[in-house]
Amino acid sequence: IGAAYLLDNNKTIFFNFSTAFGIPSAYALSTNSFLKPENHDGHEFGLKHSNFNSFFSITYFNNNTSNPITYDPSDGYMAKNFKSFKNKGVELLATKSLNNHDFKLSWTFQDPLSPNGIDPDEFVQSARRAKSFGSLTYLYSYNNFSFNLKGISSSKRKDNDYSTRILKKYFILNAGMDYKTKNNLKFYLKLL
């Protein structure tokens, strides 16, 4: 369920509330027939601003999951239900167009928490979930030619819920260009 209110022609505030459930997969049940379904609930609210050449939104979210399913590598990767999983944070989205130049930003700051697989009474950063991640994109277009540059970044995160191994932060830069001929044949080059 959601609602939105237009403050003026460019600004909108919004609110959403959702519930969901996830049943265990056949593989998860083959490792543990006593699994319970996951239950999710979440809410978000935020502000959007847009005009003819730009868009910006900021969204606060708060999600809770009871009985989340995880796999325990110390027990033959058996599927197990954790007590809960919590995540809250802020998401930023922005786009801007200036003549032949387009810029796009997408970034999330979050605090994902799960019970520690080693000590379930302690909440720690959830495995494989970075506290900060996002991308920045630049696109240049002129006639039949376009060039794009995209940077993707993520902060460090745990490898799994049952170890202390840390996956390092990273930054990836992708570049690409394409050219469309008059007969609609398109040439594309991408560098990773």
Side-chain angles (χ1 to χ4, degrees), residues 14 46-49 55-59 90-95:
F14 61 90
L47 170 71
K48 295 179 183 178
H49 178 275
F55 171 83
F56 173 79
S57 74
I58 182 168
T59 305
V90 175
E91 181 182 60
L92 302 172
L93 295 172
T95 61

Side-chain angles (χ1 to χ4, degrees), residues 107-126:
W107 215 274
T108 299
F109 301 93
Q110 61 180 4
D111 188 23
L113 296 174
S114 298
N116 187 346
I118 301 166
D119 179 7
D121 291 328
E122 176 190 11
F123 275 83
V124 293
Q125 180 179 344
S126 301

